[in-house]
Amino acid sequence: MGLFIPLPIRVPSIIKWVYPSWYIWDITSKEKTIYLTFDDGPIPEVTPWVLDLLSKKKVPATFFCIGDNVLKHPQIFNRILSEGHAVGNHTQHHLKGWVTDDTVYIENVDLASSTMENNIESPYSHKEVHTSTHPRFPLFRPPYGKIKRSQANELRNKGYRIIMYRTLAYDWEKKITPQKCLENSTKKAKSGDLIVFHDSIKAFKNLEYALPKMIDYYIKKGYTFKHL
């Protein structure tokens, strides 16, 4: 079993300074605000549970969807849209940018964009028009948080916004307990942070425990949840 060397739970400010200013890590605001985000769905085993919880708590969120999962589960994808959440692109096949040829990577992002657009059910299909300079879903989060600057530049030229994150819940990591996952998403985060969870099978044990408690924690402290 390999050594587990975690990334920082909260991305240090120096990391933000290293990257171009148009990488979005958090949202500056005078209000007490949290941006809840989910990566890797939609899947029937987890995403509907997340949506049920968000509906019960009246919390909006942003879902970064894998195109292949949208193709397999378009009904769940459309439920995300119909319940007022934001949707972003997470590539068609969850590619790691650092080890992927630029052309292959960009084509995979565009394929995910087309997959999502082609699987929108009425009445959403007529609300916005996809063009080469304005994707229907312009929010893009690189899988694993790993993307070459050349890839990011090309996507930005195509009209995508590069959405990173400030706080990692570590819900996907088997060596993290549910209690630690909750601590990661509450003790380290600050107002304006984009917090990452995953609507995936491997994350569900931690997600099921931590997410409702995390939402209640911030609500009790007077925070407002927003989507991007």
Side-chain angles (χ1 to χ4, degrees), residues 11-25:
V11 174
S13 295
I14 192 171
I15 298 297
K16 290 178 57 180
W17 297 333
V18 168
Y19 284 83
S21 60
W22 38 267
Y23 281 60
I24 298 173
W25 303 85

Side-chain angles (χ1 to χ4, degrees), residues 1 5 13 27 53 91 136 150 164 177 194 202 209 212 223:
M1 188 174 292
I5 304 177
S13 295
I27 307 293
L53 178 65
T91 75
R136 170 64 176 82
S150 56
M164 302 302 279
T177 66
L194 277 63
K202 67 179 179 180
Y209 175 86
Y223 282 79

Side-chain angles (χ1 to χ4, degrees), residues 20-193:
S21 60
W22 38 267
Y23 281 60
I24 298 173
W25 303 85
D26 47 25
I27 307 293
T28 302
S29 174
K30 295 181 180 180
E31 301 175 354
K32 296 172 69 175
T33 307
I34 291 293
Y35 292 84
L36 186 57
T37 70
F38 297 91
D39 290 1
D40 296 357
I43 60 167
E45 296 87 349
V46 181
T47 310
W49 177 88
V50 173
L51 291 170
D52 287 345
L53 178 65
L54 297 180
S55 177
K56 178 181 177 181
K57 301 289 187 180
K58 296 181 172 57
V59 168
T62 304
F63 289 79
F64 290 93
C65 297
I66 296 173
D68 193 50
N69 285 341
V70 171
L71 188 63
K72 294 173 181 175
H73 311 294
Q75 299 89 350
I76 305 175
F77 174 68
N78 279 279
R79 182 182 168 189
I80 294 171
L81 291 172
S82 70
E83 295 186 4
H85 302 291
V87 169
N89 187 320
H90 204 46
T91 75
Q92 184 76 7
H93 300 110
H94 206 256
L95 299 185
K96 185 180 293 185
W98 288 1
V99 296
T100 305
D101 174 81
D102 286 8
T103 299
V104 172
Y105 193 81
I106 301 303
E107 288 177 349
N108 206 258
V109 174
D110 286 340
L111 178 57
S113 181
S114 297
T115 298
M116 290 191 288
E117 185 175 4
N118 291 336
N119 281 278
I120 302 173
E121 296 175 355
S122 180
Y124 315 106
S125 58
H126 69 274
K127 285 190 174 182
E128 293 184 37
V129 177
H130 170 83
T131 69
S132 59
T133 58
H134 187 267
R136 170 64 176 82
F137 299 103
L139 304 178
F140 175 73
R141 173 172 283 161
Y144 311 99
K146 296 178 179 180
I147 184 171
K148 300 173 190 173
R149 187 165 299 198
S150 56
Q151 295 164 347
N153 284 335
E154 179 65 21
L155 291 175
R156 185 170 180 248
N157 289 338
K158 283 175 168 282
Y160 291 98
R161 298 171 61 200
I162 309 300
I163 309 297
M164 302 302 279
Y165 45 77
R166 198 69 197 269
T167 300
L168 291 161
Y170 271 99
D171 51 339
W172 77 90
E173 176 53 56
K174 292 182 179 180
K175 296 181 181 180
I176 294 292
T177 66
Q179 293 78 12
K180 179 61 175 175
C181 180
L182 174 62
E183 180 181 332
N184 290 346
S185 61
T186 54
K187 303 303 182 184
K188 298 290 185 178
K190 297 182 180 180
S191 181
D193 277 12

Side-chain angles (χ1 to χ4, degrees), residues 185-208:
S185 61
T186 54
K187 303 303 182 184
K188 298 290 185 178
K190 297 182 180 180
S191 181
D193 277 12
L194 277 63
I195 301 180
V196 182
F197 283 91
H198 296 76
D199 49 332
S200 66
I201 293 173
K202 67 179 179 180
F204 189 54
K205 181 190 73 171
N206 288 334
L207 181 71
E208 186 178 29

